[in-house]
Amino acid sequence: MKPSATTAPRHDPLASRRLRWLACLLVAGGLVWTAGVARAQGADIFKGADIALGEKLIAEHKCTQCHISKVGGDGSAMYKPAGKINTAGLLRGMVEMCNTTMNLGLFPEDVTAVAAVLNRDHYKFK
């Protein structure tokens, strides 16, 4: 039977899963690249970061509330997850992943500013 003009296109759940999987692969690839580049630099990647801007963006995008909804408590359990983030580059990469997956629209210098605040308050990479 030929679809009529009034028939809505059917949603293909498999295609949606494939697109999500592809997006995850692209983000993961970006994290690996970012971590590789930043690993050589250490916490120097935060040098000159706008801390005030990072604090403002964390409040504006309700990062703490999102973390609380995911892990409970005060949300701080989100930080330092079982050795997964052990370099400044990986920290910046995780902030970039949040930026991408949450569609926050942050510029690279914004991501660095947020990561610098997290480093100052939670991670303390040198």
Side-chain angles (χ1 to χ4, degrees), residues 3-77:
S4 69
T6 59
T7 305
R10 294 178 50 161
H11 175 69
D12 182 358
L14 184 57
S16 294
R17 280 184 271 179
R18 285 182 181 146
L19 286 174
R20 281 192 301 256
W21 178 246
L22 179 60
C24 287
L25 285 175
L26 290 172
V27 168
L31 287 176
V32 169
W33 179 82
T34 300
V37 169
R39 184 169 290 160
Q41 297 172 335
D44 290 343
I45 64 172
F46 303 135
K47 187 175 182 176
D50 187 340
I51 298 294
L53 174 63
E55 292 170 336
K56 176 182 169 252
L57 291 169
I58 288 170
E60 185 180 302
H61 291 288
K62 299 178 174 56
C63 299
T64 302
Q65 292 87 330
C66 181
H67 289 189
I68 289 169
S69 74
K70 293 189 181 307
V71 299
D74 65 357
S76 65

